Amino acid sequence: MAVIGRATAAVIALAILLVPAAVTPEAARPPEVGTGWWEVSANAANVRRDHSGTDTVLGLARTGDRVEVVDTWTSPLGARWAKVLVARTRTTGWVLWSLLTHHDP
């Protein structure tokens, strides 16, 4: 049985985190800021104060709600978030980008 050192283990662990981001297909990439309107594709999306699943919920965007992406963020573990302005409620906050679908302006 082979034994690896701490440095090698650290490199392997980092590679496991980074490889999915490097090979993510274009269709699965996060929304681009200023690329037109997006729409909530899930039943509902919690609009949060910050990009964390445990942060305060400021509002709810429903299926079909139009949102404008004003910023994006990706966590070190690969969770992708979009800061949006919900057209219907004028609420601004963070949602998981996987809950959005793109529509050209």
Side-chain angles (χ1 to χ4, degrees):
M1 179 160 101
V3 178
I4 61 173
R6 286 185 187 173
T8 304
V11 169
I12 291 171
L14 184 59
I16 289 170
L17 291 175
L18 296 178
V19 168
V23 297
T24 302
E26 188 63 33
R29 296 204 186 263
E32 295 293 324
V33 175
T35 56
W37 287 96
W38 292 74
E39 189 175 286
V40 175
S41 59
N43 288 335
N46 286 326
V47 180
R48 298 185 180 273
R49 184 183 60 193
D50 205 359
H51 40 69
S52 167
T54 59
D55 212 278
T56 304
V57 175
L58 301 173
L60 186 69
R62 297 182 290 206
T63 302
D65 275 354
R66 288 175 36 154
V67 299
E68 181 181 359
V69 175
V70 296
D71 197 3
T72 61
W73 182 80
T74 303
S75 80
L77 298 176
R80 295 184 177 120
W81 292 80
K83 186 171 187 179
V84 299
L85 169 62
V86 182
R88 179 178 55 85
T89 62
R90 307 304 292 169
T91 303
T92 299
W94 293 88
V95 299
L96 282 169
W97 73 269
S98 61
L99 304 177
L100 305 177
T101 187
H102 187 260
H103 290 281
D104 291 324

